[in-house]
Amino acid sequence: DALVPAFVGLGMRDPDALASAYGQALADSADPALRRSLVTGATARLEPGALDLAELAFRSDPDREVRSRALFALASQSNVDRAERALHDALDDPVLGRDAAWLGTVALALRNVSGRGADAVLSRVASRLRVQAALGGRDRRELERWLDERRAGPR
């Protein structure tokens, strides 16, 4: 984790190299910390190839933190439909979809959605989060606070 800034720097210069290294690391079942850093670096610029890598990591990596970082990247993209799909898929995960920590991650990732159509996406995903009994009280309060602030607009 101490090297994440270096991976981000590399990702700003050559995201394809990090994407290739991630693919190899995933195939080799390399150390999850390495895969996390590679995903973080490769998705720093949110280019189409980086988003494809984030999609691969989100769907295929066995490490929860790698998947979490990929979800944050997917939620940050300009295509809000694709961002929404990733957030709903995170909620639909048969294993993690009822896990309090994972639901908190989804609630945080929701904050990355922006652009045209984002308000509708936020409403739909937040509605699903609200009915999740496993969403922790603190995460639930933070979600509602953030949504209230967003509705109120800039101060």
Side-chain angles (χ1 to χ4, degrees), residues 122-152:
L122 296 175
S123 177
R124 287 188 293 268
V125 176
S127 291
R128 288 198 61 202
L129 279 164
R130 285 181 178 118
V131 299
Q132 298 294 326
L135 181 64
R138 180 173 169 250
D139 289 326
R140 187 176 301 279
R141 286 187 300 277
E142 284 299 310
L143 172 65
E144 294 303 332
R145 184 189 59 74
W146 177 76
L147 290 169
D148 288 344
E149 287 176 2
R150 184 168 165 80
R151 279 190 289 270

Side-chain angles (χ1 to χ4, degrees), residues 99-133:
D99 178 82
W102 182 252
L103 293 171
T105 295
V106 175
L108 280 175
L110 182 60
R111 295 178 182 209
N112 288 352
V113 177
S114 64
R116 186 176 198 172
D119 289 341
V121 170
L122 296 175
S123 177
R124 287 188 293 268
V125 176
S127 291
R128 288 198 61 202
L129 279 164
R130 285 181 178 118
V131 299
Q132 298 294 326

Side-chain angles (χ1 to χ4, degrees), residues 79-92:
N79 181 338
V80 295
D81 294 330
R82 190 173 177 188
E84 180 178 17
R85 194 167 39 255
L87 291 162
H88 284 297
D89 289 349
L91 292 171
D92 291 337

